Amino acid sequence: MNDSVQPLLSIQDLNTWFFSRKGTAKAVNGVTFDLEAGQVLGVVGESGCGKSVTAQSVMQLVPDPPGRIVNGKILFHGRDLVPMSREEMRHIRGNKIAMIFQEPMTSLNPVYTIGNQISEMFTLHRGYGKKQAMDAAAEMLARVQIPSPHKRVHDYPHQLSGGMRQRAMIAMALSCNPEILIADEPTTALDVTVQAQILDLMLSLKDEYNTAIQMITHDLGVIAEMADKVVVMYAGRVVEAASTGALFKSPLHPYTNGLMSSIPVLGQRTRGEAGELAEIKGMIPSLFDLPPGCKFVNRCPHAMEICEKEEPELESVEPGHKVRCWLHQEKGEIAP
Ligand code: SF4
């Protein structure tokens, strides 16, 4: 296939399951979506919906055992990452596809200076000498707006504030100019002002480097700020996928609607009828024991008889807008 028509990253029918004595947890259950070069794709859902396990699958970071990709493809420039050896993946991870986490200490080692850790990326993946790599590390710190970068390279992670550590982690992730940056709740632990600064920083770095970003979050506010396209996940499934504009203008899945009404509105503390912040009632079903029909059936205000028995497919309702719900499919309309 020609590079100009194939997406940068194409996840196709991905199934990542966890095996334990309790049974099989289908954490990612037939997930399909694409990420284009230079695009920001938001992956949204509550915790346990499979968004982080999807990212770990792309990075080959799923702990095995108990987890395993049991089916599906992860095509990067058309090449499947799933069967790749550890050695091949080591070249891609950090270099072509990088990941940042909610907790910077997941990536940063407390016993090495920031400079040592960032410069290692340049020695490892670019073959730089020690001095050249340290200068490049300081330059990266300057790019993420850390003041006095040549001094800061000698700091240990604990000497930086939470926001600075997050910037240092972004600097490390972007040091090899990756084509894809996967950001897993990167600002959740930060206060609102720092959160806005980090999101701005990521967007400007994306423009500078043309990096595609897969932004994983439970926060639709972050999606509205950042994303071009959105995938909504629930219980290991994609339940809705659309451009950000279309999703906010006309959310179709009852779960997406529930997420929308949980967003606090400025100057109005709550949106719920009882004067409380609206939230989706009920719990995500156990991944060990998923219902046979729609996975959202126990929480859905519009559930019909067919929803309990049969699961709808993810279908296009208009170009670029897909939803997995009987309300938007012919069979659902004629159902009793
Ligand atoms: Fe609700 Fe049925 Fe749609 Fe599921 S398929 S979201 S239960 S209406």
Side-chain angles (χ1 to χ4, degrees):
M1 211 191 281
N2 178 323
D3 227 29
S4 61
V5 293
Q6 85 189 350
L8 179 59
L9 183 77
S10 180
I11 297 180
Q12 299 180 357
D13 193 25
L14 181 69
N15 284 266
T16 307
W17 297 357
F18 289 80
F19 300 89
S20 76
R21 267 190 234 156
K22 221 174 132 190
T24 303
K26 297 179 178 174
V28 174
N29 197 3
V31 162
T32 295
F33 61 79
D34 293 341
L35 174 64
E36 316 284 345
Q39 182 180 62
V40 180
L41 171 75
V43 181
V44 72
E46 293 161 288
S47 57
C49 69
K51 53 196 196 306
S52 294
V53 179
T54 304
Q56 287 166 3
S57 306
V58 173
M59 300 297 280
Q60 275 198 16
L61 289 175
V62 175
D64 176 11
R68 191 155 37 91
I69 295 175
V70 294
N71 190 36
K73 290 181 178 172
I74 300 170
L75 303 178
F76 176 57
H77 285 294
R79 240 187 112 200
D80 194 0
L81 302 182
V82 175
M84 274 191 188
S85 67
R86 279 165 186 256
E87 196 46 47
E88 283 175 295
M89 261 322 277
R90 235 196 308 272
H91 176 67
I92 288 178
R93 197 168 42 223
N95 190 24
K96 307 268 185 205
I97 308 177
M99 188 161 174
I100 58 174
F101 302 87
Q102 178 177 339
E103 175 41 70
M105 295 312 281
T106 311
S107 312
L108 298 173
N109 189 326
V111 300
Y112 292 105
T113 64
I114 296 293
N116 267 329
Q117 297 181 59
I118 300 177
S119 64
E120 197 191 358
M121 301 299 290
F122 290 105
T123 48
L124 207 68
H125 295 296
R126 293 280 187 268
Y128 285 11
K130 217 174 160 195
K131 163 89 175 64
Q132 190 188 10
M134 196 54 96
D135 286 345
E139 198 182 307
M140 282 312 297
L141 290 187
R143 289 234 159 130
V144 296
Q145 294 149 20
I146 291 187
S148 318
H150 284 278
K151 231 171 98 197
R152 287 298 193 177
V153 283
H154 302 297
D155 283 355
Y156 289 88
H158 74 268
Q159 292 174 286
L160 303 178
S161 68
M164 288 284 181
R165 274 203 290 268
Q166 206 72 2
R167 284 168 197 265
M169 181 171 61
I170 294 173
M172 190 157 86
L174 293 179
S175 55
C176 287
N177 196 6
E179 292 175 67
I180 300 174
L181 177 68
I182 300 178
D184 191 354
E185 304 274 7
T187 57
T188 304
L190 303 171
D191 71 51
V192 181
T193 323
V194 183
Q195 186 176 52
Q197 288 169 357
I198 298 283
L199 294 179
D200 275 356
L201 172 70
M202 288 176 67
L203 280 181
S204 61
L205 292 171
K206 176 198 82 103
D207 291 341
E208 192 179 338
Y209 294 100
N210 198 34
T211 314
I213 300 178
Q214 185 178 320
M215 172 67 75
I216 299 167
T217 181
H218 66 278
D219 185 340
L220 275 172
V222 170
I223 296 289
E225 285 280 307
M226 298 277 292
D228 304 303
K229 237 171 67 176
V230 193
V231 163
V232 182
M233 287 187 68
Y234 185 78
R237 293 279 206 208
V238 173
V239 295
E240 187 160 2
S243 70
T244 307
L247 192 93
F248 278 84
K249 192 163 163 247
S250 49
L252 298 178
H253 198 281
Y255 178 61
T256 315
N257 269 304
L259 290 177
M260 296 278 183
S261 51
S262 329
I263 305 175
V265 176
L266 199 64
Q268 183 188 335
R269 198 186 137 259
T270 62
R271 289 183 77 180
E273 283 176 8
E276 302 268 288
L277 185 69
E279 59 177 42
I280 306 167
K281 289 197 173 68
M283 306 261 288
I284 292 188
S286 164
L287 297 174
F288 289 102
D289 187 21
L290 290 167
C294 172
K295 309 303 174 233
F296 190 58
V297 69
N298 63 328
R299 303 170 81 183
C300 181
H302 309 288
M304 304 168 278
E305 210 178 310
I306 189 175
C307 307
E308 290 188 11
K309 297 183 194 140
E310 274 185 63
E311 185 172 25
E313 296 290 325
L314 184 67
E315 286 196 356
S316 286
V317 283
E318 49 193 74
H321 198 154
K322 293 181 183 171
V323 66
R324 186 190 291 277
C325 175
W326 287 125
L327 289 175
H328 303 284
Q329 293 181 22
E330 246 175 60
K331 198 170 168 185
E333 284 167 19
I334 56 164

